[in-house]
Amino acid sequence: MKRKLISAIGVAGMMISLAACGGDNGDGGDKAGADGYAGETLTVWVMDGSSPDQWQKDVQTAFEKKTKAKVKFEVQQWNGIQQKLTTALSEENPPDVFEIGNTQTPAYAKTGGLADLADLKTEIGADWTASLNESSIFDGKQYAAPWYFANRVVLYNKKVWADAGIKDTPKTRDEFYADLKQIGEKTDAEPIYLPGQNWYHFVGLTIGEGVQLVKEQDGKYVSNLDDPKVAAAMETYKKFQALSKAPKDKDEATPQQGEVFGKGNVGAFIGMGWEAGIAIKANPKIEKEIGYFTIPGATADKPEGVFLGGSNLAVAAGSKKQELAKEFLKIALSDKYEGELAKLNGVIPNKEALQSNLKGNVVAEAAAPAAAGGGTTPLIPEWAAVENAPNPVKTYMTAVLNGKSPAEAAKQVEDEFNKRLSQQQ
């Protein structure tokens, strides 16, 4: 999915502790014969902003040393990438390795565009975080490898919280709600800015309830919005949204919630770490007041469910260099270079053991605890049509916030939801 990377705003002195376990340091390893893959060039597509120049340089050096082959990184833009990649995968010489949005992966796997990476998973992926690897699996087969991820956190105004007499960040959902109520009672600030259609946060709440937005019925996927657990997630959303003045029929980008927060009279909002940059651009003075914490869950030992946005790395089924492509992935996904990417970009790595590389990045440190319990929208090719405007999930949310019961709202959008799920992919 399209996303901006978490920026380490106001963070200095970041530390790194790279693991080097056996053959997973990305430098050594067996070569394919005395000359390795000499004379060959591997083409790798990465998305704009995903892989820093230093990371590319370091991986390239290790790859060329190990294989004797060359690697050519080609940076792609998110705008229009799905059509461009679809076309490229149907041609005779597709990119050998490419970055793919985690929620896009099932659609490409279904159409046969991705190579089976089961052997790679066996060799280097035994300790990939299960929630992060889930989007790489389709029909029980490993069609990609988890690369990096990000999720939402609570961004809060330290001054507003101090003015309300709150000294610590909350550890449970009830504590979070109580703190926001206290802000409303003791200050003039809006406790939380939560628009009615911040649907990725709602998806996180459903993940926390252990439920999906679709279900399989009579051999096809249909809406599951009428599930009691979905209703429970929506009631949680409604409880917090009632503390906000945000419109019930708009999402977090209309207006940009970072700009609203930047005015300095909002206690908190739920968003991506990079949205702090929007607030700072609107009001540079607010930078020193911004803090971050993990979205609290029902109990202190388990953070709230979150939507995991991120990217996987895949190998084209039509690539004539699949074995060389796997050699590249062994290096790029090794502890050394996966850890380096996490440090440089402040993103969540594919192994919990590598989260030590986030030390000193306050945004990433707030996001990381929720990753293991996070998830995505339904990982089925049919899901893509659901997100097209007007998104029926957003319509459902607004209906509930405007007074309909979750069951009534689910019924209202059921036909449209199911129509989209039945569209041919």
Side-chain angles (χ1 to χ4, degrees):
M1 66 173 289
K2 182 176 180 180
R3 98 229 29 95
K4 298 181 182 178
L5 298 176
I6 299 174
S7 57
I9 301 166
V11 177
M14 292 197 303
M15 299 172 63
I16 184 168
S17 176
L18 293 171
C21 303
D24 196 30
N25 62 10
D27 291 322
D30 295 330
K31 314 256 192 321
D35 295 323
Y37 296 88
E40 296 191 34
T41 298
L42 195 76
T43 300
V44 178
W45 282 14
V46 291
M47 303 309 299
D48 183 33
S50 294
S51 56
D53 291 343
Q54 185 62 50
W55 184 88
Q56 289 188 23
K57 179 181 177 181
D58 293 343
V59 169
Q60 180 177 13
T61 298
F63 175 77
E64 294 182 357
K65 177 182 177 182
K66 179 180 180 181
T67 66
K68 303 289 176 43
K70 301 294 183 183
V71 60
K72 181 182 180 184
F73 287 100
E74 295 184 355
V75 177
Q76 307 296 321
Q77 301 301 313
W78 283 104
N79 187 31
I81 187 56
Q82 292 194 55
Q83 183 57 51
K84 183 175 183 178
L85 183 56
T86 298
T87 300
L89 292 179
S90 68
E91 295 176 341
E92 186 175 344
N93 292 304
D96 302 296
V97 177
F98 51 92
E99 176 182 352
I100 184 172
N102 60 339
T103 59
Q104 297 168 356
T105 304
Y108 287 101
K110 182 180 180 181
T111 58
L114 312 184
D116 189 335
L117 300 180
D119 54 345
L120 187 78
K121 171 67 168 65
T122 299
E123 187 170 349
I124 68 169
D127 52 352
W128 287 340
T129 303
S131 61
L132 305 183
N133 186 49
E134 186 178 2
S135 64
S136 293
I137 300 170
F138 180 72
D139 272 355
K141 295 183 179 180
Q142 189 81 32
Y143 282 108
W147 192 22
Y148 68 85
F149 303 86
N151 55 260
R152 283 159 179 78
V153 298
V154 179
L155 295 87
Y156 73 105
N157 186 316
K158 296 176 183 177
K159 183 179 185 304
V160 170
W161 285 55
D163 289 347
I166 304 169
K167 297 181 179 180
D168 299 314
T169 55
K171 300 300 184 290
T172 68
R173 187 189 297 158
D174 286 345
E175 289 177 5
F176 186 24
Y177 183 77
D179 286 345
L180 295 176
K181 280 199 69 177
Q182 188 167 321
I183 289 171
E185 294 165 356
K186 296 192 174 182
T187 76
D188 293 329
E190 181 178 1
I192 185 171
Y193 184 83
L194 182 60
Q197 296 182 349
N198 188 341
W199 79 286
Y200 280 117
H201 175 51
F202 170 61
V203 168
L205 295 175
T206 65
I207 291 166
E209 292 288 344
V211 65
Q212 287 276 356
L213 297 182
V214 302
K215 61 185 175 184
E216 196 167 3
Q217 181 175 290
D218 299 328
K220 62 182 180 180
Y221 291 104
V222 298
S223 170
N224 195 36
L225 290 178
D226 61 354
D227 190 291
K229 291 183 178 180
V230 174
M234 191 59 220
E235 291 294 355
T236 296
Y237 192 101
K238 182 178 181 180
K239 179 179 179 179
F240 280 83
Q241 207 280 329
L243 299 176
S244 176
K245 300 175 183 176
K248 294 180 173 60
D249 61 349
K250 303 295 182 184
D251 63 21
E252 68 274 17
T254 316
Q256 287 286 348
Q257 58 184 4
E259 293 181 354
V260 177
F261 181 78
K263 295 176 182 178
N265 200 38
V266 170
F269 74 98
I270 294 170
M272 303 297 288
W274 55 262
E275 291 182 80
I278 297 175
I280 293 167
K281 183 177 180 180
N283 176 20
K285 293 181 180 179
I286 203 171
E287 180 173 5
K288 66 180 184 300
E289 303 296 348
I290 302 177
Y292 311 84
F293 59 85
T294 308
I295 305 173
T299 59
D301 61 337
K302 186 178 180 181
E304 187 62 83
V306 292
F307 173 81
L308 294 168
S311 284
N312 300 321
L313 289 175
V315 175
S319 170
K320 299 178 179 65
K321 305 169 186 173
Q322 291 190 19
E323 291 308 311
L324 183 58
K326 291 175 185 177
E327 292 299 325
F328 172 84
L329 292 178
K330 290 175 190 177
I331 292 170
L333 299 171
S334 67
D335 287 1
K336 181 173 184 178
Y337 298 112
E338 181 75 3
E340 180 181 12
L341 184 72
K343 180 195 176 189
L344 292 173
N345 269 1
V347 290
I348 298 169
N350 61 18
K351 299 178 183 181
E352 289 184 60
L354 296 177
Q355 289 182 7
S356 58
N357 293 287
L358 303 175
K359 187 173 178 59
N361 185 322
V362 292
V363 179
E365 286 185 319
T376 66
T377 48
L379 293 169
I380 55 173
E382 294 85 352
W383 177 259
V386 176
E387 296 191 20
N388 294 332
N391 184 331
V393 179
K394 290 184 174 182
T395 304
Y396 162 85
M397 295 173 68
T398 296
V400 173
L401 296 175
N402 281 334
K404 288 197 172 185
S405 71
E408 291 172 330
K411 187 66 176 178
Q412 175 184 327
V413 302
E414 182 179 65
D415 288 345
E416 178 62 22
F417 201 118
N418 292 342
K419 177 183 176 182
R420 295 184 184 207
L421 286 171
S422 67
Q423 291 178 12
Q424 294 297 315
Q425 302 300 309

